[in-house]
Amino acid sequence: MSLVRGLSLAYMPTSSVRQCSQQWWDDVLGVAILGDGEAGFVPNGVPLARVATPVLAGPQAICEVWRAGGPVRAGARGRVRYRCSETMLFGAIELDERAMPAGMEGVSVLQRATAAVYREVFALLDEAGYPALFRAWNYFPAINAVADGSERYWQFNAGRQEAFGAGGRSTTGRVPAACALGSAHGPFTLYFIALREAPLAIENPRQVCAYHYPEQYGPRSPTFARASLALSQTPPVLFVSGTASIVGHKTLHPGDVVAQTAESFRNIAAVLAEARRADPAGSGLDSRDLAYKVYVRYPGDLGAVRACFREHVGDAVPVVFVQADVCRDDLLVEIEASGGHAMEDGR
Ligand code: 3EB
């Protein structure tokens, strides 16, 4: 008999999390605070990512709480704070670009900060015995800005790809699910979930693999899979990466946020179909079985995006809408999702 109930996700206003007892935190793996909110109520030893993506039409800040459903152990290595269960590790790390030495050999500050963060993460994962990165959430300011002669998202991609190589990780094929968004302010912030046993990488037949994007999107490709499926979890857990209005490698429907939202859902449906094929024994997740985070570039588009969202998945799924800059300046919306784990919408 096992007392482990498995992974769960809750989106809760920080005002209600603040009321929770010490005991409530016992099996929490980690938390991300979305939007602007003071974080002093999070107990020491709980990994915390503060993500300056303003919450749209909701409480000022929302806690994204990941719970193990069983005993957890806390630790730290360098700048990484983590908690782990028997099978998975949640970690969070911030690095202030302003604390980095400026311009070295033409390598941008952001590229070096990204590489430093991922190097620390991989060193921890190797030491702790959770070598397989499952899901990575990346946030940093001014993602679409050009600085030191190139786009900042490209600099991030260069640092990430470099660190994957240096850390002995593949940069194609077996890569994690991820997202990379522009925050309003603050340090480079990464939070992540890693596993003892490698998950399956799932791709989308409608899209070129991101790690094979042509050079027009930057000299070093992004290192992520369209989704990642952990068959080692019971039931299996699926993370769908940030998904946008891209078919092949091109942005579709520039300037039309509703068409971009609908196209993103077509991409998510295609990824879910691939995930079902990869797990014939699994229950098979449907778009209505997932929890969502929706990134909207322009707050004024919220009403249109939310209406389109409801048309696709109804209003019974857990979801948060936040403002963030998407990594291509013609993308107006990006949608990420996860399922298989338990979920509660605490709002
Ligand atoms: C795309 O499909 C849109 O760089 O980690 C989505 C998910 C996107 C993850 C990343 C970027 C990333 O290319 C952008």
Side-chain angles (χ1 to χ4, degrees):
M1 266 292 284
S2 161
L3 294 170
V4 177
R5 296 179 305 282
L7 183 68
S8 77
L9 164 66
Y11 293 127
M12 301 172 70
T14 53
S15 52
S16 21
V17 176
R18 200 181 291 277
Q19 321 284 324
C20 293
S21 65
Q22 278 297 119
Q23 209 182 351
W24 184 89
W25 291 95
D26 281 352
D27 69 338
V28 169
L29 280 168
V31 54
I33 300 183
L34 315 176
D36 278 310
E38 167 282 317
F41 59 91
V42 179
N44 274 330
V46 176
L48 161 71
R50 286 169 298 180
V51 180
T53 53
V55 177
L56 296 170
Q60 213 186 324
I62 286 180
C63 286
E64 176 186 324
V65 183
W66 291 98
R67 192 178 289 281
V72 299
R73 181 177 68 77
R77 184 194 179 283
R79 288 174 280 225
V80 191
R81 299 285 174 273
Y82 66 91
R83 267 188 171 186
C84 47
S85 69
E86 202 53 58
T87 61
M88 64 172 60
L89 182 149
F90 179 105
I93 174 170
E94 296 181 352
L95 179 51
D96 189 342
E97 292 175 62
R98 293 168 306 183
M100 301 283 294
M104 286 164 62
E105 293 161 7
V107 181
S108 67
V109 166
L110 179 58
Q111 178 176 337
R112 282 182 285 117
T114 305
V117 159
Y118 274 89
R119 272 198 304 271
E120 282 196 30
V121 168
F122 289 139
L124 162 67
L125 297 184
D126 290 343
E127 281 176 22
Y130 301 78
L133 194 54
F134 183 22
R135 178 47 163 115
W137 288 264
N138 300 280
Y139 302 93
F140 52 92
I143 193 169
N144 301 127
V146 173
D148 307 328
S150 67
E151 276 190 37
R152 278 171 52 83
Y153 176 58
W154 296 11
Q155 298 167 8
F156 158 77
N157 277 322
R160 175 170 58 177
Q161 197 193 72
E162 170 193 327
F164 268 68
R169 267 71 180 176
S170 178
T171 55
T172 61
R174 222 170 226 219
V175 289
C179 61
L181 282 303
S183 53
H185 54 80
F188 179 94
T189 301
L190 167 65
Y191 66 97
F192 60 91
I193 295 175
L195 299 170
R196 288 206 190 275
E197 286 178 47
L200 295 179
I202 310 286
E203 292 297 325
N204 178 352
R206 305 179 81 234
Q207 295 184 302
V208 172
C209 297
Y211 48 77
H212 287 149
Y213 277 168
E215 253 195 69
Q216 71 194 94
Y217 304 104
R220 309 281 293 275
S221 315
T223 309
F224 71 95
R226 300 302 176 181
S228 186
L229 177 64
L231 297 175
S232 60
Q233 300 289 306
T234 328
V237 171
L238 178 73
F239 281 105
V240 177
S241 292
T243 303
S245 180
I246 294 173
V247 174
H249 57 74
K250 293 203 180 85
T251 299
L252 292 198
H253 322 297
D256 184 342
V257 76
V258 171
Q260 287 199 10
T261 307
E263 199 66 54
S264 303
F265 273 110
R266 282 191 281 279
N267 280 328
I268 290 171
V271 170
L272 292 176
E274 287 301 295
R276 284 191 291 269
R277 271 159 35 84
D279 177 22
S283 49
L285 291 166
D286 178 81
S287 61
R288 291 179 188 249
D289 305 323
L290 308 180
Y292 291 86
K293 189 150 72 190
V294 181
Y295 301 97
V296 180
R297 181 184 290 276
Y298 299 115
D301 286 341
L302 174 65
V305 172
R306 191 150 57 177
C308 188
F309 181 88
R310 287 212 183 101
E311 275 176 36
H312 283 85
V313 292
D315 51 17
V317 298
V319 57
V320 275
F321 294 88
V322 298
Q323 191 283 323
D325 295 334
V326 187
C327 64
R328 293 185 189 176
D329 60 12
D330 53 6
L331 290 172
L332 302 171
V333 62
E334 184 173 303
I335 305 173
E336 67 183 42
S338 62
H341 52 72
M343 46 185 86
E344 49 185 283
D345 196 336
R347 291 165 306 144

